[in-house]
Amino acid sequence: MDLSMKWLNDYVKADMPIKEFCDGMTMSGSKVETYSVQGADITNVVVGKCLAMEKHPDADSLWICKVDVGQAEPIQIVTSAQNMFVDAVIPVALHGATCYNHKDMSFMKIKKGNMRGVRSEGMMCSYEELNLTLADVPYSSNEGILILNNDPEFDKMTIGMDIHDALGFNDTTVEFEITNNRPDCLSVIGLAREASATFDLPFNYTEPTFTGVEGKATDYINVDVKNAALCSRYMAAIVKNVKIGPSPRWMVERLNASGVRAINNFVDITNFVMLEYGHPMHAFDLRYVDGGKIVVRNAEENEKITILDGTEVALSPEMLVIADEKKPIAVAGVMGGEFSGIMEDTKDVVFEAACFDGVSVRMTAKKINKRTDASSRFEKGIDPINAKAALMRALQLVEMLGCGEVVREYIDVDNANKTPAKLKHDAKWISDHLGIEIAESEQIAIFKKLGFGYEDGNVIVPNTRIDIERQCDLAEEVARIYGYNRIPSTVPKLSSNSKITPIQHFEKRIVDIMVSQGFYETMTFSFISPKSYEKLNFCENKKNSVVLTNPLGEDTSVMRTSMLPSMMGVVSTNVASRNLSARLFEIGRVFTPTDERLPVEEDVLGLCAYGADEDFYTIKGVIEEIFSDLVINAKFVPVTDNKTFHPGRCANIVNGDVVIGTVGELHPAVAEKYDVSCRVYAAELYMDKMFAAMGEERKYKPLPKYPAMSRDLSLLCDDEVTSDTIIDIIKANAKFLESVSIFDMYKGEQVPAGKKSLSYKMVLRKDGTMTDEEADSSVNRVLKALAEQNIVLRT
Amino acid sequence: MKEQLQSIKETAIAAISSCADLKELDALRVKFLGKKGELTAILKQMGGLSAEERPVIGQLANEVRACIENSIKDKSDELKSAETDLRLKSEYLDVTMPGKRFANGRRHPMNIVLDELKEIFRGMGYTVVDGPEVEETKYVFDMLNTFEGHPARDPQDTFYITDEVLLRTQTSSVQIRQMLKEKPPIAIISPGRVYRRDEVDGTHSPIFHQCEGLVIDKNITFADLKGTLEEFAKRLYGEGMNLKFRPHHFPYTEPSCEIDFQCFRCGGKGCPLCKGEGWIEILGAGVVHPQVLENCGIDPEEYSGFAFGIGIERITMLRYEIEDMRLLYENDMRFLKQF
């Protein structure tokens, strides 16, 4: 909402410095975004009058003018303009003035100087040099100096007067950001109310009235409201014998400062009233109201209307229209039809001030894709009392402008509830709610300043204040006018206890381990492109996603079912940025559709790595480190049919029969689809499943008193035998076994084809001194068991 | 014999003092004190001495031995220390060269900031709660007084799955679920991911993060809201932080406010960070609307409360002076390594 300060001052004398005004309004709830002073860039330009002129002795095209600028002596100005004459009143830029160069509209400063040897002490200005347009000064010729003698307000100008005052371009526009609970503040009067309460200044308002001429609107038109539910009040007045023409300066100024272009007096009046009262108005040309009938009804099936901006709109039966005998002439509350508007030769005008249902207007505007200033006001809620005030103001303006005869008896089809809301005032509740004692009398004073009534302990809420419904709303009114920053600050003693849940603690430990293992945390979007499932060769059930009905684009149209698409996106980005290696992790959410209303949401630890130092075992090692640290029991089971991964380098991570996650080297064909040519290792681990797989907390074991013995076994077995198989056999058969670990794996010339050699270190210890014989017998038991599985000692 | 001993002593001491390395010193020890050494040779002749002479010579011989032993020890210490000095000197390192590290990774900057917020609020007695991101409209809108027709519900601004299921636009839905689940007193924060239908640019993202807070108890007031957020601001930015509470509107709080923090870079004088204003908008807050309490089965005559919300992206960007929001979601290692 752009507010003209001049206009505001018609209602409240807010003449404090503008900064103070803006700060005050912001702190009472009407947030000021910015303000701009009209023509602030034009300085030191005054009204001057040409007293005498003569040709330049050395240049035919130049004139030397003596100009009265209200100083003791006239000044001399040389000009090339050819439209000057003695007694011409013109804008004069004095020495030191700032204005614009009409050639390229660059900003310039005027200095005294010589023109072809003749002294020139200033410059006479065209409208362009004052940064005005022809619309601002329609009487001006396109070329030469702006001749003010033709200005409608010429009589009010004095020589030496500042040009801003002379032309009325001296307003300040304040831009407000009005919250959507306060549609009443989308009007000059609404903001004037606020300013009056904020600065404790009188609100100068009188009900608008008009005189009118004898007659009845019903002699001209007949109004029939068919759907009173969607149109609670419809007022119509007739203005006859209208004279269409330009609006007076003061009206044009106020419209301009509010960001609205003046068009003609009747259009301007409807806009002026909408800005001033916040109530949308419409004006019809009576000639085009067929049969003199205005019917407020629902549109018929397949009905169409061409609206003011020239587009043809298909209507549907839930939409409300204003129709005449034959056809719709306006989409109620949204926009008028193309022939309904005011034209140069319009003779009689119907003014409409109506209350249309907000929801209906919103649905209609949305459906026909035309959100207008009027429709957005109806959407937010309109006051039926204000409708009448607005119509009265429009009629008053017609008479003020002398642009038509108002037919005295207007039409008012009124089904609106105009009883104002009454709220029992509970001063103590308000004080308690805010945490500061504010006296009842002070609270009442605040309500009155805001234009509320007060009767027998009840607050009477003006109908424009649709936001006031309960005691807490009154508390807010008191608080904001009293001043938020005058309310003390207290810290409540919380009677609840802060808790950290085991899963939150678990997550924190995971993050710490990942960071300590050299992984960088990422943050990725949780919606992805469904195409990434194809790129990753996902199986069908992992493609089944929660789908957005209105995504921004295909790339962000489904909720991810896995962290892999996001992680591969990150890898791809980093490879493209020539980052040679990366270790990345994220605990992100994945979404699986269900038969219920809401999907299942699970947090997943995704990790990936690439670079010269990475291989399958480095990433597996990181997972083992997590498991070891958090006492998670899990096994790595080879998987050959997961098409996302390398068929020989992929494992499911399982605890009992629960799959906690998957780890592997990305299938090269998958990596290639992400433009990644290096090997990428990735894993996904479900947080809650990992959490569930956590074993008992560790207990301390006494430090050993006797030394251990170790035995190394170099074994030869078939290539298919997994290391875990061998370790399980060793564990099952070795006596005194403290630990067993693999330390070498060999495949190649030294062993037969299809075989491999694996070397293990067994550490044996007992509670007492162990003999070589004891150790050997333990190893022999193991070797015997291994031999049964065709795993033999390598010789 | 006396003279012989004296002479051995002198010769030995001279030889020891001019000795240059430990090996030579050891040879001297053998030469003078060894089993076949000169002193032993002398002592072997002791048998030929008179009973009177024997103790005198014996004592002298012991003195000579002690003297030689001492000077060998002194010399040995001297040589060892010189040798150590020499070694240490040769082992000089350029201590300005970079250290050998096992490099840790780093947390994402937003989580660094979020962890700090969680820590502050936990320290003030709040519990961190979580809830679904794909949520029902009743928890995101209806129960928060944001009725059908409110612009926030427009599909232009909000992502929908069905008419009644959407991607949550705020984590207030978590608070509603909490109020339905638990009786007051309640003091929670609900940090999390939220979704609004904004195209990606330098200052907008369709996915961003909020940390919302809620307190419900007996006799909670607007003054408590002010005090709490001032305390939070001090813990986050230091003692001197000043706050400005501006009236605002949210459908679920009444009164509502927006809170500006005094610019933490310029201290309020005006700088590019605060766009010359001296203040930076950080929080939205308000006293919980009684209707919202009623919606959750809490009696507004008995209980009251306040709620607040902070944008994590915003304070992260302000803290690290990150000018483009897209960097937060690109996850380029060159960016991630900076924190």
Side-chain angles (χ1 to χ4, degrees):
Chain A
M1 167 80 193
D2 290 344
L3 175 70
S4 146
M5 284 302 284
K6 264 191 197 172
W7 205 341
L8 180 83
N9 270 274
D10 293 345
Y11 294 98
V12 173
K13 202 104 200 81
D15 51 5
M16 68 283 292
I18 189 68
K19 186 88 176 61
E20 203 176 296
F21 173 79
C22 294
D23 288 348
M25 292 298 278
T26 295
M27 295 311 288
S28 71
S30 309
K31 191 183 179 196
V32 173
E33 282 290 303
T34 181
Y35 67 89
S36 60
V37 180
Q38 227 174 33
D41 37 2
I42 307 293
T43 60
N44 218 15
V45 179
V46 300
V47 175
K49 184 177 182 183
C50 180
L51 300 178
M53 56 192 288
E54 56 181 271
K55 273 218 181 292
H56 191 291
D58 298 326
D60 274 356
S61 63
L62 295 183
W63 293 91
I64 302 167
C65 306
K66 285 265 180 284
V67 183
D68 180 359
V69 290
Q71 296 170 1
E73 292 293 324
I75 62 170
Q76 176 171 296
I77 298 175
V78 181
T79 180
S80 61
Q82 301 304 317
N83 66 337
M84 280 301 294
F85 55 92
V86 172
D87 286 341
V89 173
I90 65 283
V92 179
L94 302 174
H95 175 70
T98 51
C99 56
Y100 291 84
N101 184 329
H102 72 276
K103 288 197 191 95
D104 56 3
M105 289 311 280
S106 59
F107 195 57
M108 65 179 182
K109 196 163 179 170
I110 302 300
K111 283 191 197 119
K112 283 182 193 170
N114 286 314
M115 266 181 100
R116 306 283 293 266
V118 175
R119 188 168 47 88
S120 182
E121 297 170 289
M123 185 182 84
M124 293 178 283
C125 304
S126 68
Y127 65 82
E128 287 163 315
E129 283 155 343
L130 299 173
N131 200 19
L132 300 176
T133 65
L134 200 53
D136 298 318
V137 281
Y139 53 84
S140 173
S141 67
N142 261 323
E143 285 182 13
I145 306 300
L146 171 60
I147 305 295
L148 298 171
N149 303 53
N150 304 329
D151 192 280
E153 308 268 312
F154 177 68
D155 298 346
K156 292 180 190 152
M157 294 182 193
T158 55
I159 304 303
M161 191 185 210
D162 188 274
I163 195 67
H164 296 99
D165 297 337
L167 287 173
F169 280 83
N170 52 355
D171 205 348
T172 296
T173 302
V174 178
E175 189 194 323
F176 286 93
E177 182 201 310
I178 300 298
T179 53
N180 57 20
N181 62 325
R182 292 300 304 274
D184 62 301
C185 284
L186 295 170
S187 69
V188 175
I189 288 177
L191 285 170
R193 263 286 180 215
E194 285 295 316
S196 147
T198 302
F199 301 104
D200 207 2
L201 294 167
F203 178 57
N204 310 312
Y205 176 78
T206 44
E207 290 287 340
T209 53
F210 69 97
T211 316
V213 296
E214 210 56 54
K216 291 178 178 169
T218 46
D219 295 340
Y220 299 81
I221 47 162
N222 179 322
V223 172
D224 183 7
V225 176
K226 297 270 194 213
N227 189 339
L230 298 186
C231 174
S232 59
R233 190 172 198 180
Y234 194 96
M235 302 184 74
I238 299 289
V239 180
K240 57 180 189 176
N241 303 323
V242 304
K243 282 171 275 179
I244 305 296
S247 300
R249 164 71 51 78
W250 60 266
M251 185 177 266
V252 174
E253 277 171 14
R254 281 158 176 71
L255 289 172
N256 277 344
S258 310
V260 174
R261 273 263 163 246
I263 295 167
N264 64 47
N265 44 14
F266 274 82
V267 175
D268 293 350
I269 286 172
T270 59
N271 286 332
F272 191 91
V273 171
M274 178 166 78
L275 291 167
E276 194 173 43
Y277 281 75
H279 193 100
M281 300 274 302
H282 195 71
F284 295 100
D285 185 330
L286 186 60
R287 279 182 297 178
Y288 298 107
V289 180
D290 261 325
K293 273 196 173 146
I294 287 184
V295 187
V296 183
R297 61 164 169 85
N298 288 61
E300 282 158 20
E301 201 77 60
N302 299 324
E303 219 169 7
K304 286 191 176 108
I305 180 173
T306 301
I307 49 177
L308 263 178
D309 66 3
T311 49
E312 193 187 56
V313 169
L315 300 168
S316 49
E318 75 278 9
M319 297 177 183
L320 193 69
V321 294
I322 313 301
D324 58 20
E325 198 171 37
K326 294 178 179 154
K327 59 182 187 303
I329 53 174
V331 183
V334 182
M335 199 176 260
E338 65 177 332
F339 295 116
S340 71
I342 302 303
M343 324 219 179
E344 289 297 322
D345 60 348
T346 297
K347 293 240 166 32
D348 305 302
V349 166
V350 185
F351 266 131
E352 167 201 287
C355 295
F356 301 117
D357 177 70
V359 174
S360 161
V361 170
R362 182 175 61 86
M363 300 299 272
T364 303
K366 201 169 136 185
K367 203 154 176 190
I368 67 172
N369 202 15
K370 278 276 168 274
R371 253 187 124 233
T372 58
D373 206 352
S375 77
S376 70
R377 285 168 191 271
F378 280 114
E379 277 178 30
K380 286 168 183 145
I382 283 291
D383 168 23
I385 297 174
N386 199 34
K388 183 180 174 188
L391 183 64
M392 296 304 107
R393 177 61 166 161
L395 301 176
Q396 180 183 49
L397 287 169
V398 168
E399 292 188 341
M400 276 171 77
L401 268 53
C403 58
E405 296 166 32
V406 178
V407 173
R408 194 170 296 144
E409 287 180 41
Y410 51 84
I411 296 167
D412 183 3
V413 184
D414 185 8
N415 295 301
N417 174 14
K418 295 183 292 299
T419 325
K422 245 188 194 183
L423 283 172
K424 184 100 193 109
H425 178 211
D426 188 341
K428 185 181 174 308
W429 190 92
I430 289 175
S431 285
D432 288 349
H433 196 65
L434 299 178
I436 180 178
E437 189 61 41
I438 299 174
E440 184 171 18
S441 58
E442 192 173 352
Q443 295 187 15
I444 295 170
I446 287 171
F447 297 138
K448 288 187 172 161
K449 277 191 223 171
L450 286 165
F452 292 25
Y454 200 88
E455 232 171 51
D456 310 324
N458 289 306
V459 179
I460 320 288
V461 183
N463 285 38
T464 45
R465 291 299 306 274
I466 54 165
D467 59 314
I468 307 290
E469 291 173 330
R470 299 177 67 137
Q471 202 65 217
C472 61
D473 300 315
L474 293 179
E476 181 173 61
E477 296 305 291
V478 170
R480 67 188 183 86
I481 299 300
Y482 180 81
Y484 276 14
N485 292 297
R486 285 171 65 203
I487 295 173
S489 300
T490 50
V491 182
K493 271 211 167 44
L494 297 180
S495 42
S496 58
N497 286 318
S498 175
K499 289 180 282 279
I500 180 158
T501 63
I503 188 93
Q504 285 170 349
H505 185 65
F506 176 75
E507 184 180 316
K508 194 168 151 35
R509 289 187 63 186
I510 295 267
V511 168
D512 287 347
I513 295 168
M514 292 312 300
V515 168
S516 72
Q517 294 286 314
F519 279 71
Y520 286 82
E521 189 179 27
T522 64
M523 207 169 261
T524 52
F525 280 5
S526 24
F527 36 49
I528 57 168
S529 165
K531 283 190 182 140
S532 33
Y533 296 144
E534 305 300 330
K535 281 164 107 176
L536 284 156
N537 277 333
F538 272 10
C539 59
E540 283 311 314
N541 67 26
K542 280 221 117 178
K543 291 182 190 169
N544 181 19
S545 312
V546 175
V547 179
L548 275 61
T549 53
N550 57 338
L552 285 170
E554 202 206 6
D555 279 356
T556 51
S557 61
V558 300
M559 302 305 284
R560 63 187 172 199
T561 58
S562 155
M563 286 300 288
L564 288 172
S566 305
M567 288 192 296
M568 279 315 291
V570 176
V571 168
S572 182
T573 303
N574 277 287
V575 168
S577 320
R578 297 175 200 283
N579 294 320
L580 295 177
S581 67
R583 302 192 123 192
L584 301 156
F585 83 101
E586 179 174 348
I587 297 174
R589 201 163 278 191
V590 302
F591 304 80
T592 314
T594 61
D595 295 335
E596 308 288 309
R597 202 185 275 251
L598 296 182
V600 168
E601 298 186 13
E602 288 167 293
D603 285 338
V604 170
L605 168 64
L607 51 156
C608 64
Y610 70 88
D613 297 335
E614 304 292 352
D615 60 36
F616 178 82
Y617 295 108
T618 58
I619 194 152
K620 186 184 171 195
V622 171
I623 298 167
E624 286 171 333
E625 187 58 29
I626 294 173
F627 290 177
S628 153
D629 194 334
L630 298 175
V631 201
I632 292 168
N633 306 307
K635 272 193 167 298
F636 292 78
V637 179
V639 174
T640 52
D641 59 351
N642 186 329
K643 299 207 162 43
T644 308
F645 291 100
H646 189 306
R649 297 179 175 187
C650 176
N652 274 345
I653 304 161
V654 296
N655 167 265
D657 51 6
V658 180
V659 177
I660 298 177
T662 306
V663 56
E665 177 180 323
L666 258 278
H667 197 290
V670 170
E672 200 183 299
K673 287 185 204 148
Y674 284 92
D675 294 325
V676 174
S677 55
C678 62
R679 293 176 189 267
V680 178
Y681 305 93
E684 279 196 286
L685 294 152
Y686 286 85
M687 292 293 284
D688 53 350
K689 289 176 185 158
M690 264 202 287
F691 180 73
M694 262 175 43
E696 294 273 308
E697 207 172 20
R698 284 194 188 86
K699 295 284 183 276
Y700 146 87
K701 281 191 198 116
L703 304 184
K705 292 194 191 78
Y706 296 93
M709 279 194 159
S710 70
R711 289 287 188 273
D712 290 351
L713 306 181
S714 264
L715 304 170
L716 192 67
C717 62
D718 287 344
D719 206 1
E720 294 74 38
V721 177
T722 64
S723 176
D724 268 1
T725 314
I726 295 175
I727 285 186
D728 287 344
I729 295 173
I730 295 175
K731 281 182 176 169
N733 294 285
K735 210 174 167 194
F736 311 124
L737 185 71
E738 185 176 78
S739 67
V740 56
S741 55
I742 184 166
F743 67 88
D744 189 37
M745 197 279 289
Y746 177 79
K747 268 196 271 193
E749 283 175 22
Q750 306 298 319
V751 295
K755 298 273 185 183
K756 66 182 172 187
S757 160
L758 298 169
S759 302
Y760 294 85
K761 180 178 286 294
M762 292 168 60
V763 177
L764 307 170
R765 196 195 298 272
K766 73 177 229 196
D767 197 15
T769 310
M770 190 160 34
T771 62
D772 277 335
E773 291 71 41
E774 281 174 318
D776 291 343
S777 107
S778 174
V779 169
N780 286 335
R781 270 174 61 111
V782 168
L783 289 176
K784 209 174 141 208
L786 287 169
E788 282 166 19
Q789 304 297 323
N790 235 350
I791 302 162
V792 297
L793 209 52
R794 194 176 161 206
T795 46
Chain B
M1 216 167 177
K2 234 182 202 170
E3 287 75 29
Q4 274 181 309
L5 282 171
Q6 206 60 45
S7 148
I8 286 174
K9 181 181 162 189
E10 276 158 27
T11 325
I13 298 229
I16 289 165
S17 77
S18 64
C19 171
D21 66 56
L22 285 165
K23 222 173 171 177
E24 194 185 325
L25 188 66
D26 198 49
L28 289 174
R29 191 182 54 78
V30 173
K31 182 173 180 233
F32 294 108
L33 303 178
K35 282 182 183 158
K36 291 172 181 168
E38 293 181 16
L39 193 61
T40 316
I42 298 279
L43 289 175
K44 278 182 182 160
Q45 302 166 23
M46 287 263 288
L49 291 178
S50 66
E52 295 82 41
E53 272 183 313
R54 213 177 289 154
V56 178
I57 295 297
Q59 197 187 347
L60 181 65
N62 283 338
E63 276 170 25
V64 169
R65 171 182 285 275
C67 180
I68 296 173
E69 275 175 351
N70 280 340
S71 64
I72 287 178
K73 182 168 189 309
D74 289 350
K75 189 66 185 180
S76 163
D77 287 353
E78 184 194 318
L79 287 174
K80 274 183 185 158
S81 132
E83 205 168 73
T84 308
D85 285 353
L86 202 67
R87 181 168 61 84
L88 294 184
K89 215 167 186 181
S90 74
E91 286 175 357
Y92 150 85
L93 288 183
D94 178 356
V95 296
T96 66
M97 298 252 290
K100 290 178 194 164
R101 316 201 259 185
F102 176 76
N104 269 2
R106 291 282 188 276
R107 289 219 82 183
H108 192 278
M110 285 216 281
N111 277 332
I112 297 176
V113 171
L114 180 56
D115 278 352
E116 199 174 322
L117 297 189
K118 285 183 188 170
E119 200 134 308
I120 289 173
F121 281 113
R122 278 186 175 132
M124 290 169 73
Y126 292 68
T127 297
V128 179
V129 294
D130 192 12
E133 291 175 20
V134 179
E135 186 54 287
E136 298 186 41
T137 46
K138 66 175 175 185
Y139 296 127
V140 178
F141 294 136
D142 300 343
M143 295 179 79
L144 285 155
N145 290 350
T146 310
F147 303 109
E148 205 63 62
H150 191 282
R153 297 182 74 133
D154 199 301
Q156 205 58 30
D157 302 316
T158 299
F159 293 111
Y160 284 90
I161 307 300
T162 66
D163 285 348
E164 286 164 342
V165 176
L166 77 170
L167 301 186
R168 67 179 180 196
T169 56
Q170 50 191 7
T171 62
S172 312
S173 49
V174 179
Q175 306 181 345
I176 294 289
R177 283 174 176 272
Q178 192 72 13
M179 285 191 276
L180 290 169
K181 201 165 74 183
E182 253 180 53
K183 292 277 145 247
I186 292 172
I188 54 166
I189 56 165
S190 53
R193 182 168 277 212
V194 297
Y195 302 79
R196 288 184 201 170
R197 216 168 160 279
D198 287 322
E199 292 281 354
V200 176
D201 66 23
T203 52
H204 293 89
S205 169
I207 291 182
F208 58 100
H209 297 76
Q210 278 188 336
C211 180
E212 292 197 26
L214 173 76
V215 172
I216 308 284
D217 207 339
K218 287 178 177 159
N219 306 317
I220 295 290
T221 67
F222 186 75
D224 291 332
L225 160 69
K226 284 188 68 184
T228 298
L229 295 177
E230 279 168 1
E231 179 61 26
F232 159 70
K234 281 177 185 157
R235 293 191 189 196
L236 186 62
Y237 291 112
E239 270 305 310
M241 177 50 65
N242 288 314
L243 268 56
K244 192 162 85 179
F245 292 77
R246 276 188 288 106
H248 195 67
H249 169 68
F250 301 110
Y252 31 87
T253 51
E254 193 78 36
S256 307
C257 51
E258 281 185 336
I259 298 133
D260 298 336
F261 284 34
Q262 199 162 50
C263 178
F264 20 81
R265 188 155 97 180
C266 66
K269 288 193 281 289
C271 70
L273 190 68
C274 59
K275 298 189 179 73
E277 297 285 330
W279 297 91
I280 296 179
E281 187 189 317
I282 297 283
L283 282 154
V287 178
V288 179
H289 197 290
Q291 183 65 52
V292 174
L293 295 178
E294 281 166 17
N295 293 345
C296 297
I298 295 172
D299 180 4
E301 292 306 316
E302 189 180 356
Y303 290 103
S304 55
F306 60 79
F308 55 87
I310 313 163
I312 315 276
E313 272 79 357
R314 183 164 167 73
I315 53 173
T316 304
M317 290 171 75
L318 287 167
R319 165 174 298 191
Y320 297 108
E321 298 182 15
I322 298 167
E323 68 293 329
D324 192 325
M325 197 185 276
R326 283 169 288 207
L327 285 164
L328 295 171
Y329 298 104
E330 254 167 32
N331 301 300
D332 190 312
M333 282 295 278
R334 293 168 297 177
F335 175 77
L336 298 176
K337 279 186 170 174
Q338 294 185 31
F339 302 93

